[in-house]
Amino acid sequence: QVQLEESGGGLVQPGGSLRLSCAASGSIFSISTMGWYRQAPGKERELVARISSSGTTNYADVVKGRFTISRDDAKNTVYLQMNSLKPEDTAVYYCNLLHVRFTVVYDYWGQGTQVTVSS
C-alpha cells in the first residue's frame, strides 16, 4: 500500500512563492506518474501538473510558466515549485500517484495541503 504526505503549504502574498513536497511510501514511486491537483471552495478538483516516470511533464495552462513539477526518485518525493502566486491559486493541493500494471490500477491520494494567496 502507498501513503502520500503533502507538506509546504501556507499563507503567502500575491507574487510570492511556495514549494510543495509530497513524500510517498512503498516501492512503486519510481515507475509511477505523479501529479498535483487542487480544489478551491465551490469548484471541482483540477489538474495542476503531472510528471511521468520518465520525467515528461505537463501543466494546466493557468499555471504554465509559473509552476514547476519535479521528482526525486531516490527520496520518493515529488515537488511543486510555485512562483508568482495569484489569489486564484488559493486551494487545497493534493498529491496523486498513478500506476497501471495491466489490469491493476494504483491510484493514491494524499490528504492535501492548504495554499492561501492573500495580502
Side-chain angles (χ1 to χ4, degrees):
Q1 299 297 307
V2 174
Q3 287 188 310
L4 304 174
E5 293 287 345
E6 303 99 333
S7 62
L11 175 64
V12 65
Q13 293 183 334
S17 297
L18 284 173
R19 190 193 194 201
L20 306 184
S21 298
C22 173
S25 67
S27 61
I28 64 172
F29 178 88
S30 64
I31 58 174
S32 301
T33 294
M34 301 300 300
W36 287 98
Y37 293 74
R38 69 187 184 187
Q39 187 168 24
K43 300 185 66 177
E44 294 185 350
R45 186 171 58 188
E46 64 178 356
L47 172 68
V48 177
R50 271 198 295 246
I51 183 167
S52 74
S53 60
S54 64
T56 301
T57 60
N58 59 88
Y59 299 88
D61 287 341
V62 291
V63 308
K64 200 169 298 181
R66 299 188 296 123
F67 292 9
T68 303
I69 189 170
S70 61
R71 65 192 297 157
D72 186 341
D73 288 348
K75 296 182 178 180
N76 273 21
T77 301
V78 63
Y79 305 95
L80 185 68
Q81 178 66 47
M82 304 185 293
N83 299 325
S84 302
L85 283 161
K86 305 174 180 179
E88 50 263 45
D89 295 318
T90 296
V92 177
Y93 284 70
Y94 297 92
C95 178
N96 172 253
L97 179 152
L98 178 65
H99 176 60
V100 180
R101 185 187 181 191
F102 298 102
T103 61
V104 180
V105 178
Y106 300 86
D107 190 6
Y108 293 91
W109 294 88
Q111 293 297 307
T113 184
Q114 177 71 48
V115 172
T116 302
V117 185
S118 177
S119 59

